[in-house]
Amino acid sequence: MSTASFPEGFVWGVSTSAFQIEGATSAGGRGPSIWDVFSADRAEACDHYHRYPEDVRLMKDLGMAAYRFSVSWPRVFPDASGKVNEAGLDFYDRLLDALLAVGITPYATLYHWDLPQAVEELGGWPSRDTARRFADYAAAVHGRLGDRVDTWFTLNEPWVAAFLGYGDGSHAPGRKSAAEAFRSAHHMMLAHGLATQALRSGGAARVGTVLNISPVLTPAQVSDFGRRLSEEDAEAVARIDALANRQFLEPMLRGSYPAEILPIIERNGGLDHIRDGDLDIIAQPLDLLGINYYSPSVVQAQPSEPAASAYPGSEGVLFCTIPTAVTAMGWPIVPNCLSLVLRRLSAEYPELDLMVTENGADFVDVVTGDGIHDVERISFVEEHLRALLSAVEDGARVRGYLVWTLLDNFEWTEGYQRKFGLVHVDFATQKRRPKDSALWYRDVIRRNGLTETRPKRPTLETVAARSGVSRATVSRVVNGEASVSPEVRTAVMRAVKELGYVPNAAARSLVTRRTNAIALVLSVPRQGDALTAAVVQYVTSMLEGAGKQITLMLADTAESHRRIVQQAEARLVDGVVLLPPDRGDTLAERLSRTDVPIVLLGKPAVASLVPYVDVDNAGGAAAATEHLLASGRRRIGMICGPMDLVAVQDRLAGHRAALQRAGAQPLLALADLTRASGAAAARQLLGDEPALDAVFAATDQLAVGALQAARELGRRVPEDLAIVGFDDIDAASATTPGLTTVRVPLAEQALAVARLLLSRLEGRHTTSVVLPTRLVVRESS
Ligand code: FCB
């Protein structure tokens, strides 16, 4: 039997939502939504409103069978008058025609978080009237589009809309009230029920809704789902499951609230908004339940813990971080939890059809000359598909899978920095560019499965997926460790037998050869190095949290290099973090020839396959230079630091590129890393070019030197001479005038390095990470 083909008729596609991609927020009579008001980010998004023909073509080329999109309520009802804006519906009319013309089946979501601001002003979701308005809206949309849409989803993730929008206030409309959050949740479900009735009476073929169902586990259960819990932990898990999952599942699918929720709602504003008959309306029979799955919720009992604001009623529960690989968003990657969710729902609601309506990941993408090689995203989707398939093989009724998402887009509170797309979008030009993951997904769809990408021989992953546990647990079982519960052991051994799995060295070494020691190797620290300090602090705490012991090693002599390589060769350490490798030394290269995973902080001087974390030095320098150009400066000199530093080379490249785009000539002066050399270089630039009106220095230390030189020479900053630095060291905000500079993320770099190493230790594909920098404008420019 091939384990990687999907059932015949399995539906493949992608999901998007209106506010995240459409843009054109005042076109065709659209009114403002709560997100237009709440978000400070520009609202053009992907300009899909105008570019939908291209996006539909893209989907067709990628072989998509299904497209889940959402209708923007404020396009259809721009204000609270109750009058339909037909021009708003015209857009969806055109979109549907384009989709159907190329054979893509549309799945419409009616509410993906963009409440009309006018309705918010009348009370928003805490007001019962909003539910009635939603049903009118559903009827209007169905009236116009119902001839071409078969499957309707009422809501997307009502937990998020209610508890982040009205509870902790991190999402629009930004209200912070536990009582309003519970009321909103109830009214959203009422809206769902009323809209379902309206859709059915209009003749809708299939109606469903979309919930974000996260399995709730303790940290120990993440690697061993069957692990027995203490009474306190079991209670904490059950309570969070009730708040996050069953608060929606049970009213909608069984017609009652979970018993443990009602006293919590009562304590938080009372129960009078839950009226007689509401639950009958809410529990409409459904044809399809959409599941959005990203990661599990990990909790444990902790008596002193106050309630989390997004989970009123969660007193005494600690939300834990777990030492697994994570996406760039910081979300733990636990594919087997997708099987867990699907198995659970199929067991609890055996009649219900399921569809994975969202699953995907944010990773930092690097655009190269020959494409975007997002291997991490491919692994993410592949592992989740394997987990899905194992649930299907156990009888779960999963009808389809939609990747979140087609395009890089506006990711709510995170803005445009998050990249969930299969297709890259350059927001300056709106150019679309399929990533490797898009092409890979196209092939998956084409063959309705994963067969050709993996050897047939069963692997540790296949056994893990089949038995619903992590790879580490499988490894523990095959190595005969005692710490595994009998149920899990039986499940794993059954999967081993059924699949004919033969444990290989990798499986054995996953546990037995682990030393749990990690070497954190520091080359001679650069002066005033806040980054080294951040790395020591964060890498140590994250890796220690993952059960590793950190050995700090200094790589300052040839002898120390030899010792470090020897330790790796003898496998006295499981992994190595090395920083900074930027003075073309050979340590990184020698370490990469051992079979110990290594990650670098900073791009190495010599290109290699070793993954690294770096910041976007070229982009930051270009932004600094463009800022000077935009403020009218034309004769811009650059003070370069030592040219053997890769970061300096990249900053110079970014500076040059920006000048070239503006048709300006570079003027360079060299320096080492000291202030005095910055001052000397500035004097030299001013001597060579009396009309100099700006200086960009490769580091803040050099810029501080330039400020000093300008003062000595009687140049006023910024009137005569603007000065911009790089790094945003503490001193940059304390100079007179305050120094404009480029901020590099410190803690994020350190955390990214630690995660990259954990990912490598778990045997995942890893790619280098390049983190964005940000221009901080102060008085010096
Ligand atoms: C889901 C949302 C979707 C997107 C992904 C990353 O919760 O439904 O709009 O933001 O997360």
Side-chain angles (χ1 to χ4, degrees):
M1 182 192 68
S2 152
T3 53
S5 304
F6 284 68
E8 221 180 288
F10 190 82
V11 177
W12 297 99
V14 279
S15 279
T16 66
S17 91
F19 192 73
Q20 294 180 272
I21 62 168
E22 284 180 3
T25 49
S26 43
R30 178 187 180 277
S33 76
I34 52 175
W35 274 97
D36 296 74
V37 174
F38 182 78
S39 173
D41 277 289
R42 69 203 154 75
E44 292 92 334
C46 310
D47 194 31
H48 170 76
Y49 183 86
H50 295 111
R51 293 168 197 266
Y52 74 90
E54 178 184 352
D55 295 337
V56 171
R57 210 175 319 122
L58 253 173
M59 285 192 272
K60 174 174 187 289
D61 292 345
L62 294 174
M64 305 292 169
Y67 176 48
R68 170 176 171 250
F69 67 101
S70 82
V71 176
S72 154
W73 185 351
R75 279 200 199 282
V76 182
F77 288 100
D79 53 36
S81 69
K83 202 171 145 311
V84 176
N85 172 40
E86 295 294 340
L89 283 166
D90 289 347
F91 165 64
Y92 299 102
D93 226 43
R94 296 192 289 272
L95 172 65
L96 287 176
D97 287 345
L99 289 166
L100 293 172
V102 296
I104 297 176
T105 307
Y107 286 66
T109 305
L110 287 166
Y111 188 68
H112 203 123
W113 309 351
D114 47 355
L115 185 70
Q117 175 65 17
V119 178
E120 169 62 17
E121 279 160 19
L122 291 174
W125 283 110
S127 156
R128 189 174 176 91
D129 191 44
T130 301
R132 186 193 51 76
R133 285 179 181 273
F134 181 71
D136 293 347
Y137 156 65
V141 177
H142 182 265
R144 184 72 187 277
L145 310 177
D147 56 339
R148 281 153 297 159
V149 177
D150 281 344
T151 308
W152 295 86
F153 292 115
T154 53
L155 307 173
N156 177 72
E157 303 189 1
W159 181 86
V160 172
F163 287 88
L164 301 187
Y166 293 87
D168 86 345
S170 59
H171 274 211
R175 292 203 234 167
K176 294 185 180 151
S177 151
E180 291 190 339
F182 282 117
R183 292 178 82 87
S184 296
H186 182 74
H187 292 148
M188 284 177 196
M189 289 194 281
L190 188 63
H192 155 79
L194 293 169
T196 303
Q197 290 175 336
L199 291 165
R200 296 250 189 248
S201 65
R206 294 206 298 171
V207 183
T209 199
V210 174
L211 300 177
N212 50 310
I213 303 295
S214 285
V216 185
L217 306 166
T218 61
Q221 283 182 318
V222 174
S223 51
D224 181 355
F225 293 159
R227 178 72 73 97
R228 284 236 163 64
L229 298 183
S230 69
E231 221 171 277
E232 295 75 24
D233 280 344
E235 189 279 329
V237 164
R239 184 144 44 99
I240 301 307
D241 185 47
L243 287 165
N245 300 325
R246 289 189 289 120
Q247 177 170 195
F248 297 91
L249 285 170
E250 292 185 10
M252 289 169 141
L253 297 169
R254 296 203 200 287
S256 57
Y257 269 103
E260 61 261 68
I261 279 274
L262 289 169
I264 298 178
I265 304 182
E266 187 160 27
R267 278 203 305 279
N268 285 283
L271 292 167
D272 38 311
H273 60 287
I274 305 176
R275 299 199 189 152
D276 281 353
D278 281 3
L279 284 157
D280 294 334
I281 299 174
I282 291 172
Q284 297 298 310
L286 291 187
D287 305 300
L288 186 63
L289 178 66
I291 304 297
N292 293 355
Y293 170 74
Y294 291 92
S295 45
S297 301
V298 185
V299 302
Q300 69 189 36
Q302 177 94 307
S304 60
E305 197 65 19
S309 52
Y311 292 87
S314 66
E315 293 82 359
V317 179
L318 179 70
F319 286 80
C320 312
T321 48
I322 44 170
T324 53
V326 291
T327 67
M329 204 70 172
W331 294 351
I333 304 175
V334 192
N336 288 332
C337 277
L338 176 59
S339 323
L340 205 63
V341 168
L342 298 172
R343 288 201 180 95
R344 164 190 176 177
L345 291 171
S346 296
E348 289 178 5
Y349 305 97
E351 303 299 309
L352 191 63
D353 276 0
L354 305 174
M355 183 168 203
V356 174
T357 35
E358 287 183 25
N359 176 238
D362 163 43
F363 288 110
V364 177
D365 292 321
V366 181
V367 182
T368 73
D370 67 347
I372 299 153
H373 307 306
D374 55 338
V375 285
E376 292 184 293
R377 192 170 289 99
I378 294 176
S379 300
F380 182 97
V381 175
E382 178 172 3
E383 289 174 22
H384 284 79
L385 284 173
R386 285 183 192 280
L388 185 158
L389 193 57
S390 94
V392 168
E393 283 167 356
D394 285 351
R397 296 166 59 124
V398 190
R399 302 304 184 214
Y401 175 88
L402 310 178
V403 171
W404 182 268
T405 180
L406 179 65
L407 304 169
D408 288 343
N409 64 30
F410 169 78
E411 175 53 34
W412 310 113
T413 46
E414 305 274 326
Y416 292 92
Q417 56 169 328
R418 298 296 169 198
K419 311 289 176 194
F420 277 90
L422 295 177
V423 175
H424 176 269
V425 176
D426 177 340
F427 289 101
T429 59
Q430 289 293 354
K431 183 172 167 353
R432 274 78 163 139
R433 201 177 327 193
K435 305 176 191 175
D436 285 357
S437 56
L439 307 177
W440 171 86
Y441 191 49
R442 180 192 62 194
D443 293 342
V444 171
I445 298 174
R446 205 178 271 163
R447 70 170 93 88
N448 193 36
L450 299 162
T451 31
E452 286 160 37
T453 54
R454 283 280 171 114
K456 289 257 164 49
R457 202 164 53 82
T459 59
L460 201 60
E461 285 80 10
T462 8
V463 178
R466 169 66 69 93
S467 50
V469 302
S470 70
R471 298 164 71 238
T473 306
V474 174
S475 179
R476 260 185 234 120
V477 173
V478 300
N479 285 295
E481 279 198 11
S483 67
V484 185
S485 67
E487 293 90 329
V488 168
R489 179 180 307 282
T490 312
V492 170
M493 289 318 289
R494 191 180 337 116
V496 164
K497 224 170 114 215
E498 281 170 11
L499 295 164
Y501 172 71
V502 183
N504 59 9
R508 300 217 175 273
S509 71
L510 203 62
V511 169
T512 48
R513 286 173 69 204
R514 283 266 158 112
T515 61
N516 275 337
I518 302 291
L520 175 52
V521 178
L522 306 178
S523 308
V524 190
R526 288 173 289 201
Q527 37 149 224
D529 201 344
L531 182 59
T532 307
V535 166
V536 172
Q537 181 189 342
Y538 290 105
V539 170
T540 305
S541 70
M542 184 155 179
L543 293 178
E544 282 181 353
K548 311 288 177 202
Q549 280 163 13
I550 312 304
T551 314
L552 210 55
M553 301 177 104
L554 266 189
D556 51 350
T557 59
E559 169 56 22
S560 63
H561 285 201
R562 205 186 49 76
R563 217 168 358 101
I564 292 162
V565 173
Q566 223 171 38
Q567 293 232 351
E569 278 168 347
R571 290 210 69 124
L572 296 175
V573 290
D574 288 348
V576 178
V577 175
L578 173 61
L579 85 159
D582 42 17
R583 305 252 180 187
D585 69 31
T586 57
L587 182 57
E589 198 212 304
R590 285 163 66 198
L591 282 169
S592 71
R593 285 199 298 261
T594 68
D595 38 321
V596 169
I598 156 173
V599 295
L600 308 178
L601 186 74
K603 186 163 82 180
V606 182
S608 80
L609 289 175
V610 180
Y612 61 82
V613 171
D614 202 357
V615 298
D616 185 6
N617 284 305
T625 309
E626 277 155 8
H627 158 73
L628 289 169
L629 289 162
S631 57
R633 312 287 168 159
R634 278 296 164 271
R635 300 301 291 152
I636 306 172
M638 175 167 173
I639 303 177
C640 303
M643 289 308 299
D644 59 339
L645 295 184
V646 179
V648 171
Q649 295 164 15
D650 285 351
R651 290 173 194 184
L652 174 59
H655 172 69
R656 273 182 195 280
L659 288 180
Q660 198 175 18
R661 284 193 289 274
Q665 287 303 317
L667 297 162
L668 307 178
L670 290 180
D672 54 32
L673 286 169
T674 59
R675 280 183 197 193
S677 79
R683 280 193 291 271
Q684 181 203 325
L685 283 169
L686 283 162
D688 291 351
E689 173 60 57
L692 195 77
D693 56 11
V695 167
F696 167 55
T699 73
D700 282 349
Q701 292 289 354
L702 297 174
V704 172
L707 277 172
Q708 199 182 321
R711 200 174 312 122
E712 284 160 14
L713 294 168
R715 304 282 176 118
R716 292 171 308 157
V717 177
E719 292 82 350
D720 307 332
L721 189 70
I723 298 181
V724 176
F726 206 114
D727 289 334
D728 196 23
I729 59 173
D730 283 346
S733 61
T735 54
T736 333
L739 183 65
T740 294
T741 178
V742 178
R743 179 170 301 165
V744 298
L746 294 180
E748 286 85 344
Q749 281 184 78
L751 291 172
V753 152
R755 282 182 195 129
L756 204 57
L757 186 68
L758 287 173
S759 294
R760 296 211 70 189
L761 294 176
E762 286 186 13
R764 291 174 186 277
H765 292 302
T766 44
T767 44
S768 297
V769 171
V770 179
L771 296 166
T773 53
R774 193 161 66 77
L775 185 70
V776 180
V777 178
R778 299 202 184 94
E779 301 82 49
S780 72
S781 68

